[in-house]
Amino acid sequence: MRPLSVLTFLLIASLLLVPWGTSKVQAGNTNETLYNEPYRPQYHFSPQKNWMNDPNGLVYYKGEYHLFYQYNPYGNKWGHLSWGHAVSKDLIHWKHLPVALKEDDLGMIFSGSVVVDKHDTSGFFDGKSGMVAIYTSAGETQQQSIAYSKDNGRTWHKYKGNPVIPNPGIKDFRDPKVFWYDETDQWVMVVAAGDRVQFYTSKNLKDWTFTSEFGADRGAHGGVWECPELFELPVKGNPGETKWVLQVDINPGAVAGGSGAQYFVGEFDGKKFTTEQKDVKWVDYGKDFYATQSWNNTPDRRIWLAWMNNWQYAQDIPTSPWRSAMSIPREVSLKKEDGEYVLLQEPVRELSQLRKNIHTWKNQWITPKTNLLSDIKGETLEIQAEFQLDTAKEFGFKVRKGSEEETVIGYNTDNKTLFVDRTKSGQTDFSEHFPGVYQAKMEPENNTVQLRILVDRSSVEVFGNDGETVLTNRIFPNLKSQGLELFTEGGNVKLKTLKIYHLKSTWK
Ligand code: FRU
């Protein structure tokens, strides 16, 4: 063949073959491999590919829940931090959108928040409403910057006057959470500053005034404070009483080792946070609940989620082509018990739409060496159980069980602790900090212990006693490890009720 005819032949062949070949590959991707990798969360949010850390800019606007997140568009490790973006109408099914904010001359785009500027206080929106992002520019120093969007978060413009808060001489100065405070008609910012937080106020999101600092003498101080969050909640069972909850992440020095979240319950007057709380309170006693943020602008409830990972091994968890996942969005509330304020977290009610099959039991005695659940298998499950304590020393569930794998979720009646043991959960050897047993004190209520457990392909979230004690942990079991066991040791326990639901994937 002459060269021209070879080329012609290749051209015709490619025209004929490539579209067919490509669509075949894409179809294969969509149906078989996309969001179907062995450790791919089936109903938790994860980016299609590349590295993700903190949730950012959570805001509800015009019927959409926005989820921005720390994202590396170029790889599966931390770097080139930008804001990835997804939206959802129900907090469960997410639609991926293009990267919203990319690094610039001031540095990478670290964590921050988004507000709805309803009355155009910023002047960006010609008198209408719009979205303003407040984030940390992380270059040589860390400073606070803003950007705005006039089209529901689809495109963003960085403010020319950035940074709006230049670095005040503090090395770790980041993660601004901003919200509107009605009583003083002002925006409030809480921002991490070393091992404490600072408060600023503004009328227009551009000019900020420092008002106070909190934390030097309170809380845990084993590491740097990050990603603060502040909101007001009604106190359950006490009409008229409200309290402010200040959530602050700490890395390292958290309760389960590495990074984690603490909270303070107190008062906020628009400028200053105060609390009488002396002890350290932890949001979650597992290893993988970090950088918690709540949605701004939700009409009727406070919802937050967190990054399910831990800086001790975040970059080594064995997933590809993506790394990290978010927790299930949780509704947060507050109760007062024996003079103490206690935070409660429960999966959002929208999760129930994923339930497909249900198995139920009532009033049944559980004895050692039996397994009521030997016929049930599952990789994505919701378990709801209520136990009446009796002679058992320890009881609970083993999930994602295989011939050599299991994750144990148990209650120890001697120590009154709820625990998760992931030492044999599957792949654990990528970090010495990964295998372990994590536990939290939890008093039985009227001699009963209640558990709600969410199992996914690579995570287990445990909510004890109506979400008063929570443990969130990643696990990396073999896809075939899908067995389930209800166990008791050292005596019997009475199962008052048990419901097990299989959950559908949100990515299919
Ligand atoms: C918390 C954090 C934040 C920072 C971001 C950088 O995980 O360290 O303080 O803004 O991650 O990616």
Side-chain angles (χ1 to χ4, degrees):
M1 257 195 257
R2 285 183 300 144
L4 190 65
S5 55
V6 172
L7 273 181
T8 315
F9 171 78
L10 284 177
L11 187 67
I12 293 168
S14 66
L15 281 174
L16 284 173
L17 291 175
V18 167
W20 176 81
T22 316
S23 63
K24 220 22 201 193
V25 170
Q26 280 171 351
N29 261 345
T30 318
N31 298 334
E32 284 147 37
T33 54
L34 193 62
Y35 278 87
N36 201 18
E37 299 92 339
Y39 300 143
R40 177 68 88 170
Q42 295 297 292
Y43 59 93
H44 288 83
F45 179 83
S46 61
Q48 208 163 320
K49 60 176 186 182
N50 295 335
W51 167 267
M52 173 178 84
N53 56 292
D54 318 351
N56 295 152
L58 303 186
V59 68
Y60 180 72
Y61 188 46
K62 296 192 177 162
E64 288 180 323
Y65 293 93
H66 290 263
L67 165 58
F68 299 88
Y69 50 88
Q70 288 286 280
Y71 186 59
N72 179 358
Y74 309 108
N76 208 6
K77 291 231 178 201
W78 189 89
H80 299 286
L81 273 296
S82 307
W83 277 25
H85 190 194
V87 287
S88 171
K89 290 199 186 317
D90 63 3
L91 292 160
I92 301 294
H93 297 88
W94 293 96
K95 185 173 149 205
H96 295 295
L97 292 176
V99 172
L101 293 169
K102 289 190 186 148
E103 50 189 344
D104 56 34
D105 293 349
L106 290 175
M108 293 190 274
I109 315 293
F110 271 17
S111 287
S113 46
V114 167
V115 294
V116 175
D117 186 9
K118 283 187 191 134
H119 306 296
D120 195 21
T121 62
S122 60
F124 290 138
F125 306 111
D126 313 314
K128 301 193 193 81
S129 85
M131 296 165 87
V132 179
I134 308 94
Y135 60 91
T136 300
S137 291
E140 263 165 45
T141 62
Q142 301 185 349
Q143 347 196 52
Q144 315 320 324
S145 293
I146 60 177
Y148 58 95
S149 169
K150 296 180 173 182
D151 57 359
N152 307 331
R154 271 34 179 203
T155 57
W156 289 85
H157 312 276
K158 287 176 184 148
Y159 173 50
K160 301 235 165 24
N162 281 339
V164 291
I165 307 184
N167 187 286
I170 303 170
K171 181 171 159 274
D172 296 297
F173 180 58
R174 56 179 181 263
D175 311 337
K177 169 76 196 213
V178 176
F179 60 92
W180 180 254
Y181 188 76
D182 250 341
E183 277 92 309
T184 54
D185 255 353
Q186 279 186 335
W187 298 102
V188 172
M189 177 193 294
V190 53
V191 61
D195 71 341
R196 59 201 69 177
V197 296
Q198 294 189 336
F199 295 93
Y200 289 77
T201 56
S202 172
K203 290 274 181 203
N204 59 8
L205 295 163
K206 295 170 181 163
D207 305 302
W208 292 90
T209 310
F210 170 86
T211 61
S212 67
E213 216 175 66
F214 171 83
D217 58 350
R218 297 292 160 116
H221 285 272
V224 106
W225 285 18
E226 301 183 315
C227 302
E229 167 66 78
L230 178 67
F231 48 77
E232 191 177 16
L233 283 179
V235 178
K236 274 191 175 171
N238 199 6
E241 189 187 9
T242 65
K243 281 280 173 185
W244 285 79
V245 176
L246 173 65
Q247 187 279 159
V248 184
D249 296 276
I250 181 168
N251 176 44
V255 64
S259 42
Q262 51 180 329
Y263 70 96
F264 306 88
V265 181
E267 312 295 339
F268 183 66
D269 65 3
K271 292 185 169 173
K272 198 172 165 36
F273 179 83
T274 49
T275 178
E276 281 161 22
Q277 183 183 318
K278 298 273 176 326
D279 55 334
V280 181
K281 290 184 191 283
W282 297 103
V283 171
D284 194 299
Y285 287 82
K287 277 211 83 145
D288 300 295
F289 195 78
Y290 197 63
T292 326
Q293 190 175 109
S294 82
W295 266 272
N296 271 338
N297 205 38
T298 44
D300 56 347
R301 49 190 173 149
R302 184 59 63 172
I303 305 159
W304 72 16
L305 56 56
W307 177 49
M308 280 204 291
N309 211 338
N310 189 309
W311 280 115
Q312 281 182 332
Y313 45 72
Q315 309 205 61
D316 305 316
I317 58 169
T319 64
S320 165
W322 84 103
R323 206 175 249 123
S324 293
M326 294 300 177
S327 73
I328 206 72
R330 303 170 179 180
E331 183 167 349
V332 201
S333 56
L334 200 61
K335 73 168 181 184
K336 195 171 181 182
E337 200 171 66
D338 307 327
E340 286 248 352
Y341 295 95
V342 184
L343 198 70
L344 306 171
Q345 301 174 71
E346 289 276 21
V348 288
R349 54 179 180 258
E350 287 86 345
L351 181 71
S352 61
Q353 67 187 286
L354 300 181
R355 295 171 179 165
K356 51 180 183 187
N357 300 319
I358 179 174
H359 311 268
T360 52
W361 293 264
K362 264 205 169 107
N363 295 325
Q364 199 148 336
W365 280 101
I366 308 298
T367 54
K369 301 203 171 71
T370 58
N371 178 16
L372 186 69
L373 310 178
S374 55
D375 289 340
I376 301 180
K377 304 232 163 312
E379 46 160 357
T380 51
L381 298 169
E382 176 182 352
I383 302 171
Q384 290 184 14
E386 207 180 326
F387 295 96
Q388 187 180 309
L389 306 197
D390 197 69
T391 50
K393 295 267 173 271
E394 210 167 278
F395 61 86
F397 297 92
K398 296 182 181 174
V399 303
R400 299 304 308 269
K401 236 169 93 82
S403 52
E404 282 164 19
E405 296 180 351
E406 60 185 28
T407 298
V408 189
I409 299 141
Y411 187 77
N412 183 301
T413 54
D414 284 342
N415 313 330
K416 296 187 175 151
T417 51
L418 177 62
F419 69 89
V420 175
D421 179 347
R422 68 172 179 189
T423 51
K424 289 187 268 173
S425 56
Q427 208 175 330
T428 60
D429 59 359
F430 52 87
S431 163
E432 53 166 328
H433 299 294
F434 189 82
V437 184
Y438 311 106
Q439 56 182 30
K441 273 259 177 252
M442 187 174 88
E443 290 293 325
E445 279 169 16
N446 302 323
N447 204 37
T448 63
V449 161
Q450 192 234 341
L451 296 179
R452 184 155 173 203
I453 303 168
L454 299 182
V455 181
D456 201 344
R457 277 202 188 164
S458 59
S459 63
V460 173
E461 288 161 281
V462 181
F463 302 83
N465 286 352
D466 293 316
E468 159 182 330
T469 307
V470 186
L471 292 102
T472 302
N473 289 288
R474 299 302 301 275
I475 50 168
F476 300 100
N478 191 303
L479 196 48
K480 291 193 197 122
S481 300
Q482 298 201 10
L484 204 56
E485 183 180 331
L486 172 52
F487 74 93
T488 168
E489 278 169 21
N492 306 332
V493 67
K494 187 171 182 191
L495 182 66
K496 288 175 74 180
T497 62
L498 173 61
K499 290 182 186 159
I500 299 180
Y501 302 94
H502 295 268
L503 299 181
K504 284 185 269 197
S505 168
T506 55
W507 301 103
K508 294 276 154 61

